[in-house]
Amino acid sequence: MLHDVGKLTIADIRRLYSEERVRPAEVLESYLNRIEEKDPAIGAFLHIFKEKAIEEAETLDIALMESKPLFGVPIALKDNICTKGKPTTCASRILEGYVPPYDATVVERLKEAGAVIIGKTNMDEFAMGSSTENSAFQLTHNPWDTDYAPGGSSGGSAAAVAAGMVPVALGSDTGGSIRQPASLCGVVGMKGTYGRVSRYGLVAFASSFDQIGPIGKNVRDTAFLMDVVSGHDPHDSTSIQESHSSLVEALEEEIGDLTFSVPRGFRDLDLSPSVREALGETVEYLRNSGREVREVELPDLEAAMACYYILADAEASSNLARYDGVRYGYRHRADSLIEMYEKTRGEGFGEEVKRRILTGTYVLSSGYYDEYYSRAQKVRAMIIEDFRRVFSEVDVVITPTSPTPAFKLGEKVDNPIAMYLSDIFTTTANIAGIPAISIPARLSPEGLPIGIQVMAGLKEERKMIRAAYALEKEFDFQSKVSGPEVG
Ligand code: GLN
């Protein structure tokens, strides 16, 4: 048994195994104990697969360690990633009791790589939200201060990593749902280029935006996990054909040749003072180390937000039509078919999901289609073009991940627009399909983490990861900051 697994990285765990100091079942048990101790105050997990995980860990053969990059590494998955024979609820009543008959491609890859799936994490229902408060089942608390939200929608995964209950986790990002909770919980979260990671087995929210991605304590672990889960998958027709080139190897490269940039007029952006300072410090550090930091014209962020919420809701209204009480999960038994549909959906979906379905149906309806859906598609094309222009001039763009540090639980639940604004810096990467990562930079005066986002051009994850790694060294967050209260 290990007493302090909370701070272990993937490399630390591999070292322990290669020195034959511990067995996978002991490492797993230590994490399970930590979950038992910490999770009652955090609420990160919806399901824990204790027996199954112990069984899996016990069958791992140390002789195979070299060929298995995640040998004996416990991992948590957001509960919208299908796991064969194990519940996958999307934190929704409508999928309560649903057990998928297949594994998502990422889950197959994790298993092949020797990872042990420890459990599934809480999220906003169907990944719609920015605080994890839209879960139908429970609240998740921010490990840095349990009065605060962990962000969302992958709040359970980010909080689990921040509190050291797992070394790494997977989340999904449709408009910022990996990066924003990573930022609010003081961990690293990344989404790749659209198509980099297979969506096969990810329960669809907005298919032209959705991507699965890693959350870890540092850039290296995140890159390591990304290397395992990414790559072409014939089951996902939108997955990128070419092979994925290693991000971990890219960490060894110097950043001498990279051109950095920030949004023009970044000092005037509408940000919390401590977030503004963190961005200012980042620019100062880069300039002090002799780098030019250009100012670039980013797409209009408010127009991008509107574009995102129109298109994502439109896609959601179509994707969620399948929950009709016939094939999946919850069914309200009624006398007529129509009543069964109505009651099933009325009782099975939460408020926010209904709001999205209604909005999505409205923007797609004849008479409004041109005014909303088709206009938002045009805005999307313009944003893609804007980024193409930006990345023909510079290699990376740096922004805050979120305009504020974590907000209190309950603070924004009754104000959807305020909640949506949490994503002002993250949605553009999904609209344009480009890679983006959030890394923790510093703490706010209240002791809450602040993340900085690095974006790069299409398929330029290697540039993004090198820039993020250099900034991570400069921020030195992990060694300067003692860690979350509950961690
Ligand atoms: N917060 C955004 C939304 O509610 C993004 C969600 C996500 O990335 N899954 O749509």
Side-chain angles (χ1 to χ4, degrees), residues 146-279:
T146 50
D147 290 340
Y148 286 77
S153 65
S154 315
S157 287
V161 173
M165 297 190 279
V166 273
V168 281
L170 286 182
S172 70
D173 193 311
T174 303
S177 276
I178 291 175
R179 292 160 285 153
Q180 186 258 17
S183 172
L184 271 44
C185 289
V187 292
V188 178
M190 176 198 314
K191 84 168 266 291
T193 300
Y194 180 76
R196 184 63 82 194
V197 180
S198 168
R199 289 183 295 112
Y200 183 69
L202 169 68
V203 178
F205 160 10
S207 311
S208 77
F209 298 83
D210 298 340
Q211 277 292 289
I212 296 173
I215 296 176
K217 276 202 250 342
N218 58 28
V219 170
R220 181 175 290 277
D221 276 4
T222 315
F224 204 89
L225 183 51
M226 191 70 176
D227 282 347
V228 170
V229 296
S230 51
H232 180 62
D233 176 16
H235 289 308
D236 173 2
S237 62
T238 61
S239 102
I240 296 175
Q241 292 279 346
E242 66 210 54
S243 63
H244 166 77
S245 70
S246 166
L247 297 187
V248 171
E249 277 167 25
L251 299 179
E252 307 311 323
E253 291 167 20
E254 292 295 316
I255 57 154
D257 57 327
L258 293 184
T259 336
F260 288 75
S261 69
V262 287
R264 192 177 304 289
F266 73 95
R267 288 181 204 282
D268 304 322
L269 293 174
D270 190 12
L271 304 170
S272 288
S274 53
V275 175
R276 189 192 315 280
E277 270 167 44
L279 185 62

Side-chain angles (χ1 to χ4, degrees), residues 78 127-130 152-153 172-177 205 308-309 356 420 423:
K78 185 174 181 178
M128 296 170 184
S130 308
S153 65
S172 70
D173 193 311
T174 303
S177 276
F205 160 10
Y308 167 78
Y309 277 98
R356 307 279 180 122
Y420 296 173
D423 300 314

